[in-house]
Amino acid sequence: MALTIILAIVFAILGGAAFEWGGAVFGALSGIFLGTLMSLGGRVNQLEAQLKALRSKVGELGRVQVTESNSVSEPVAPVATPSVTPVEVAPIAVSPVAISEKKSPQFAQPRQTMTPATDAQQVIYRENIFDKLTKYILAFFTDGNVFAKIGIIITFFGVAFMVKYAAERSLFPVEARFIFAAIIGISFLIFGWRLRLSKTLFGLLLQGGGVGVLYVTVFAAAKLFNMLPLGLALTVMIALVAFSALLAILQDAKYLALFGAAGGFLAPILTSTGGGSHVMLFSYYALLNLGIVSIAWYRSWRELNLLGFVFTFVIGLSWGAKYYQPMYFNSVEPFLILFFVFFVFIAVLFALRQPPQLKGYVDGTIVFGVPIVAFALQTALIKDIQYGLAFSALVMSALYVGLAISMWKRAAQGLRLLIESFLALGVVFGTLAIPLALDGHWTSAAWALEGAAIIWVGVRQQRLLPRLFGIFLQLASGVAYFSAIVRIDRVIHFVGDSNSEWLFLNSTYLGAVLISLAGLFASFYLYKHREKLHEAEAASHIFLLVWGLVWWLGAGQREIFNYLDMHDQMRHVAASILLFVTGSGVLLQRVEQRLQWPPARYPVLGLIAVMYAMLLLMLGTYHKHPFDLPGGAAWAAAFVAQYFILWQYRQVVNHVALRWQHVLSFWLLVYLCSWEASWLLQHAALGSTWQDAMWGVIPALSLLVLFGLRSRLRWPLAEHYAWYLVTAGSVLVAWLWFCAVGYSVFSAGNPWPLSIYIPLLNPLELAVAFMLLVIIRWRMEFKFTDVIAAIHPLARWVIPANAIAGFILLNGMIARCVHHWLGVPFTLDALNRSMEFHTALSVVWTITALTITFIATRLARREFWYVGAALLGAVVIKLFIVELGNSGTLTRIISFLSVGILLLLINYFSPIPPRKQETSL
């Protein structure tokens, strides 16, 4: 209630001074409303504190009850001379009833009564700024001599209003008015000094009020009436500043300094008539701040520092918003620099002048508030000057970094937090200077960097709200970035300046990079201090890592896309993006390894996915071959980087995931080499047969190279040879088999460089035979490894599959012979109508069957003999169904005679082998 009345009176006085009676009524109502609101806030906080205290007591009761219950249930062995050592449990008192109940096991939870908690046992809750302001105002107006405090404030306002009222109405001679005001101020000083020992607080209040009255008198006499020369007025005010600072220091009187400084800052406001020189105003405030600096040299009075900071910059901002014009720049800029330097120096003095147990304590409001406010004012002053903000940010960065280095070299004890804060500010303003110089999206970049700095401070101070606000600023920076894009009508080309000739050296791209770096730093710092985080923000570092990488990769991709589009080089977009992602992956790997940042390993291992995506992009954009410049350099760099990453993570990443990386890399390398070899032969005009054959020959050669380097290349082959042989090799073998079958069936076979077609001595059939031999060699490789047991179910099908592929190749050779020698078109319909083709098939199939049955008889393998017999059955069926209806007499005679004679030979030379149990081994 007292606070509400005090605020109502103060606001009524201020409102009446500004707007007479109406302002007084409105001010009183505003004071009542604010006082009621602050009172309710204080009550809510008190109730929350009491609730936390009760919860803490309930938890303690539960723990004590469980302990006592366990002690009751445990059997106690009898002893000869029992002795009991009393144990004090504070602050919980156990009633006699509870003690008696402990004798029986059925009473598991004795009743207890709590003693009232003392002040030291109360739960301390974290106060917000309104709680602190409420407590400070209540303490000021309720502790000590309340009537003296209110009286001195009202007297100060009365003298100021008297001077203003008399000046506006010319009631008294000018000299008489100021002599009377000066007498009041000097009287306050004299009486306050005499009462400093007997009534200390009252005497200090009188001295502070006297200093404030003298400030008003001298300032009004010099500014409003020109009664005092500016030089003399300046001298007198310097003397007042020094005098008030001396009084405050000698008497260790914080309130005296506060009253004197507040009076000095209010003097120009209370005596203002809307005119006068801003140079005089800022010179006067510079003197007042010089006094605050001199006091800060001896005393660490945070309230005085904040009072000077708030008055100086708020009044300066108000004057600038109402009166500033570009012509005032030369007279305003020096004062802004001077005030900035003053309060940076005050921040250092405050940390130095702390008591030993608080040495290095940082006033965050001054340390971080001064550069933010000063830079905002500087922006308003030099917004029309080219590169003005960039140079300002660079100078501020140099100042903060220089101060941090200077304090670090001097080994200032206990100033580590201040040094880190200055260094962080230096880095922020230094990085901000880059997009400012390049006219980029500096607002979003500044928000992102500020958010990262706030997260850093929140982690160090173990406060949840600053960390959440820092994460919010990261997101807000992205929104601001895209809002700026929309305003300048760059929705499509949202990264990169289409009018810029410099790749990556334009403000729009660098702004996005700063957002990315801020997110990555915040992610790393939250991960490193994850034990200090709340459960709700446990995954925040993962989100920020993804956020930062998306901005980094997205900005680079769009920058490359826009630049190549502008220069009509879109065919190089896939290779350029691959180069950018490869460099980014290697950089992130080095950072992760240097900083020990395990979550960053997963994006690094995603390079192989990007490589496959770029392959699809190349295929989709109809690239002729993958190694077209700069494609060759891009793929070479990508594979070097990929295997470098695999080498670095060979001991720290899950082996299964790492081995799959090896397999995927090997497949991609084989595919690209096959594509490039096929294009080279096409470019050399060797014909489509040679070009198509490379898609099977290169994978076959890759397997042979794999076999040959097994024992020579310790990494990666020897270490992961089973995966290369089984997983990677089995897919390549399957690919080779399908290629062999496909070439045999669908290719007519260009015999170049020969002029005529010769079976087996042509590129196609040599390639197919080579593939089938490599498949056999792959199966034989299992004998030299220890994976035969695991691969046996797959490897046992190699021989039958190769036999089938060989038979298909043999039929293809017959079809190509008929095509090249007899001129039959190489189509299914034409070959099916060709009697020569069917006759050749019948003869060859019968010879093949004879060969199979002969070998089966010699090896005593009935299953092989059945295969030959089945092939003979197919020949007989073919003779009677297909060739019997043909009109060609000669070919029909040749078919039937040859098949009949071969069947007789089979019956004579290759009888069916006996069963195994009938043979003697």
Side-chain angles (χ1 to χ4, degrees):
M1 186 64 181
L3 176 63
T4 304
I5 296 173
I6 292 169
L7 290 176
I9 294 173
V10 172
F11 275 79
I13 294 173
L14 294 176
F19 305 103
E20 298 183 351
W21 290 107
V25 174
F26 180 78
L29 294 176
S30 300
I32 294 172
F33 175 76
L34 181 60
T36 305
L37 183 63
M38 295 172 71
S39 177
L40 290 175
R43 292 179 182 178
V44 170
N45 289 328
Q46 290 178 1
L47 290 174
E48 290 179 350
Q50 294 175 3
L51 180 60
K52 290 181 180 179
L54 288 174
R55 287 177 177 174
S56 175
K57 293 301 178 185
V58 170
E60 292 178 3
L61 281 174
R63 289 191 294 271
V64 172
Q65 290 171 354
V66 171
T67 302
E68 293 179 352
S69 175
N70 293 336
S71 64
V72 169
S73 59
E74 293 177 356
V76 180
V79 295
T81 57
S83 61
V84 179
T85 303
V87 178
E88 296 182 359
V89 180
I92 303 172
V94 183
S95 65
V97 177
I99 295 175
S100 62
E101 289 172 348
K102 290 169 61 176
K103 298 179 181 179
S104 175
Q106 62 182 344
F107 298 102
Q109 296 183 350
R111 292 176 296 173
Q112 300 174 342
T113 60
M114 291 189 298
T115 60
T118 62
D119 293 339
Q121 296 164 345
Q122 293 291 334
V123 176
I124 301 175
Y125 61 92
R126 196 178 296 275
E127 297 177 324
N128 54 39
I129 188 171
F130 296 104
D131 300 332
K132 295 178 181 179
L133 181 61
T134 303
K135 184 180 293 186
Y136 181 78
I137 295 175
L138 279 173
F140 181 81
F141 286 104
T142 57
D143 295 343
N145 196 334
V146 179
F147 294 101
K149 295 178 182 179
I150 299 177
I152 202 69
I153 292 174
I154 294 176
T155 303
F156 172 77
F157 278 93
V159 172
F161 295 153
M162 179 194 72
V163 173
K164 183 177 180 180
Y165 183 81
E168 292 174 349
R169 292 168 174 75
S170 301
L171 297 180
F172 301 102
V174 177
E175 294 81 0
R177 305 170 204 156
F178 286 102
I179 291 174
F180 180 71
I183 290 173
I184 294 177
I186 295 172
S187 301
F188 280 0
L189 281 174
I190 294 174
F191 282 105
W193 179 258
R194 295 188 62 180
L195 295 174
R196 71 185 187 280
L197 298 178
S198 58
K199 297 182 179 181
T200 304
L201 181 59
F202 183 60
L204 294 175
L205 292 174
L206 287 178
Q207 293 177 52
V211 172
V213 170
L214 290 177
Y215 276 137
V216 173
T217 303
V218 174
F219 185 83
K223 181 181 178 182
L224 300 180
F225 296 96
N226 297 321
M227 291 179 58
L228 294 177
L230 291 180
L232 178 60
L234 186 63
T235 304
V236 173
M237 283 190 287
I238 291 175
L240 282 175
V241 169
F243 181 66
S244 61
L246 181 63
L247 287 177
I249 295 172
L250 289 176
Q251 302 175 80
D252 196 16
K254 180 168 61 176
Y255 285 125
L256 172 59
L258 288 173
F259 267 91
F265 281 111
L266 287 173
I269 300 174
L270 298 175
T271 59
S272 175
T273 58
S277 170
H278 64 279
V279 176
M280 178 68 181
L281 174 66
F282 292 143
S283 300
Y284 172 71
Y285 277 176
L287 288 175
L288 291 177
N289 285 316
L290 182 62
I292 294 176
V293 171
S294 62
I295 294 176
W297 186 272
Y298 298 97
R299 298 287 187 271
S300 57
W301 291 339
R302 183 171 184 265
E303 293 84 354
L304 181 62
N305 301 336
L306 290 176
L307 184 142
F309 168 66
V310 172
F311 268 111
T312 300
F313 286 102
V314 170
I315 294 174
L317 179 62
S318 301
W319 177 88
K322 190 173 183 180
Y323 299 107
Y324 178 75
Q325 297 178 12
M327 67 178 65
Y328 295 152
F329 174 77
N330 292 332
S331 59
V332 173
E333 178 71 8
F335 286 107
L336 178 58
I337 296 174
L338 180 63
F339 294 147
F340 172 73
V341 173
F342 273 165
F343 285 100
V344 171
F345 188 51
I346 286 174
V348 177
L349 291 177
F350 180 79
L352 287 171
R353 297 295 180 264
Q354 292 297 318
Q357 65 272 20
L358 296 177
K359 194 74 169 179
Y361 175 74
V362 171
D363 186 353
T365 305
I366 299 294
V367 170
F368 293 101
V370 168
I372 293 174
V373 175
F375 194 75
L377 295 175
Q378 181 75 352
T379 302
L381 293 181
I382 61 175
K383 59 184 178 181
D384 297 326
I385 301 177
Q386 187 177 13
Y387 302 119
L389 282 176
F391 284 115
S392 300
L394 194 60
V395 170
M396 292 179 71
S397 173
L399 174 65
Y400 278 114
V401 172
L403 284 173
I405 294 175
S406 176
M407 289 188 291
W408 178 72
K409 287 184 176 180
R410 295 174 182 270
Q413 296 295 327
L415 294 183
R416 178 178 176 181
L417 182 57
L418 183 63
I419 293 172
E420 292 177 352
S421 300
F422 278 0
L423 186 60
L425 288 171
V427 171
V428 166
F429 282 106
T431 52
L432 188 59
I434 298 175
L436 289 176
L438 298 174
D439 191 25
H441 297 70
W442 66 270
T443 302
S444 57
W447 285 3
L449 295 173
E450 183 182 356
I454 292 175
I455 289 174
W456 174 76
V457 173
V459 171
R460 288 189 59 86
Q461 297 181 352
Q462 299 186 18
R463 297 177 62 191
L464 175 62
L465 186 59
R467 296 196 297 268
L468 296 179
F469 183 69
I471 296 173
F472 168 77
L473 276 182
Q474 298 292 320
L475 302 178
S477 67
V479 175
Y481 186 90
F482 283 106
S483 298
I485 295 296
V486 173
R487 286 197 302 270
I488 61 178
D489 197 25
R490 293 182 186 174
V491 178
I492 299 178
H493 302 288
F494 66 88
V495 174
D497 190 349
S498 60
N499 298 321
S500 174
E501 294 291 335
W502 297 96
L503 181 64
F504 299 129
L505 294 180
N506 56 79
S507 57
T508 315
Y509 170 74
L510 293 177
V513 168
L514 290 178
I515 296 176
S516 168
L517 294 178
L520 293 175
F521 167 78
S523 172
F524 166 73
Y525 203 74
L526 288 175
Y527 172 77
K528 282 298 182 181
H529 300 85
R530 58 191 180 278
E531 69 279 355
K532 300 179 182 178
L533 302 183
H534 192 270
E535 293 180 359
E537 52 178 342
S540 58
H541 68 96
I542 298 295
F543 167 76
L544 289 174
L545 175 61
V546 176
W547 170 265
L549 290 176
V550 167
W551 275 94
W552 178 273
L553 297 176
Q557 175 185 344
R558 286 296 183 175
E559 180 72 7
I560 293 171
F561 183 87
N562 292 339
Y563 185 85
L564 295 179
D565 186 31
M566 182 177 64
H567 292 83
D568 195 22
Q569 298 289 330
M570 289 302 293
R571 63 191 182 94
H572 299 318
V573 64
S576 302
I577 292 176
L578 181 60
L579 272 175
F580 175 78
V581 175
T582 298
S584 302
V586 173
L587 178 62
L588 183 59
Q589 191 278 328
R590 301 311 298 163
V591 171
E592 181 275 324
Q593 194 172 45
R594 181 68 179 270
L595 300 179
Q596 295 298 308
W597 188 13
R601 295 172 186 166
Y602 301 101
V604 172
L605 292 173
L607 176 60
I608 187 63
V610 177
M611 295 168 68
Y612 272 91
M614 292 303 102
L615 174 63
L616 294 177
L617 181 60
M618 284 185 171
L619 294 173
T621 52
Y622 303 102
H623 277 64
K624 294 181 179 179
H625 64 114
F627 294 161
D628 183 19
L629 290 176
W635 284 113
F639 276 104
V640 170
Q642 172 69 5
Y643 280 101
F644 171 77
I645 291 170
L646 294 179
W647 166 261
Q648 293 294 325
Y649 289 153
R650 65 191 185 279
Q651 301 295 339
V652 295
V653 179
N654 180 274
H655 278 218
V656 174
L658 202 65
R659 287 167 177 170
W660 272 110
Q661 289 267 333
H662 283 275
V663 170
L664 293 173
S665 303
F666 182 68
W667 286 343
L668 181 59
L669 181 60
V670 171
Y671 184 88
L672 291 172
C673 292
S674 302
W675 185 4
E676 184 67 18
S678 176
W679 177 84
L680 287 175
L681 294 182
Q682 179 189 12
H683 187 67
L686 296 181
S688 60
T689 302
W690 290 88
Q691 175 186 347
D692 296 339
M694 290 301 103
W695 289 99
V697 171
I698 297 301
L701 288 174
S702 301
L703 285 176
L704 290 181
V705 172
L706 189 71
F707 305 151
L709 296 178
R710 172 175 58 88
S711 59
R712 301 178 184 178
L713 197 60
R714 180 174 178 80
W715 188 93
L717 290 183
E719 187 172 339
H720 303 285
Y721 189 68
W723 276 75
Y724 275 98
L725 180 64
V726 177
T727 307
S730 59
V731 172
L732 290 185
V733 163
W735 169 256
L736 291 178
W737 190 87
F738 282 107
C739 284
V741 172
Y743 293 158
S744 301
V745 173
F746 299 106
S747 178
N750 183 2
W752 191 94
L754 300 176
S755 58
I756 61 173
Y757 173 82
I758 301 177
L760 281 180
L761 296 180
N762 61 82
L764 177 68
E765 288 158 8
L766 286 175
V768 172
F770 176 65
M771 297 177 206
L772 296 179
L773 290 175
V774 170
I775 293 176
I776 299 297
R777 176 66 180 84
W778 175 76
R779 174 62 181 83
M780 295 172 60
E781 184 67 14
F782 296 138
K783 297 180 180 179
F784 308 109
T785 64
D786 56 353
V787 296
I788 184 63
I791 198 60
H792 179 70
L794 175 65
R796 65 182 182 179
W797 292 102
V798 168
I799 301 300
N802 253 22
I804 294 173
F807 181 72
I808 294 174
L809 173 63
L810 183 61
N811 287 271
M813 289 171 56
I814 297 171
R816 280 183 285 273
C817 288
V818 173
H819 166 66
H820 287 285
W821 293 349
L822 301 179
V824 178
F826 195 80
T827 62
L828 181 62
D829 183 64
L831 291 172
N832 188 46
R833 291 198 305 267
S834 173
M835 189 62 192
E836 294 81 0
F837 174 66
H838 285 291
T839 300
L841 280 182
S842 298
V843 173
V844 171
W845 284 11
T846 306
I847 294 174
T848 304
L850 174 62
T851 305
I852 294 173
T853 54
F854 181 79
I855 295 174
T857 301
R858 293 298 178 267
L859 297 177
R861 298 290 298 270
R862 292 174 63 91
E863 63 272 19
F864 285 176
W865 194 93
Y866 288 141
V867 171
L871 183 58
L872 284 173
V875 172
V876 173
I877 294 173
K878 178 177 176 301
L879 283 174
F880 286 95
I881 293 179
V882 177
E883 299 187 20
L884 190 61
N886 287 329
S887 59
T889 306
L890 180 61
T891 55
R892 184 194 311 166
I893 294 173
I894 294 173
S895 297
F896 276 83
L897 286 177
S898 59
V899 171
I901 293 171
L902 289 172
L903 284 172
L904 293 175
L905 292 175
I906 291 173
N907 185 58
Y908 181 78
F909 290 104
S910 305
I912 182 170
R915 297 184 183 275
K916 289 185 178 181
Q917 58 268 25
E918 299 174 0
T919 62
S920 59
L921 299 178

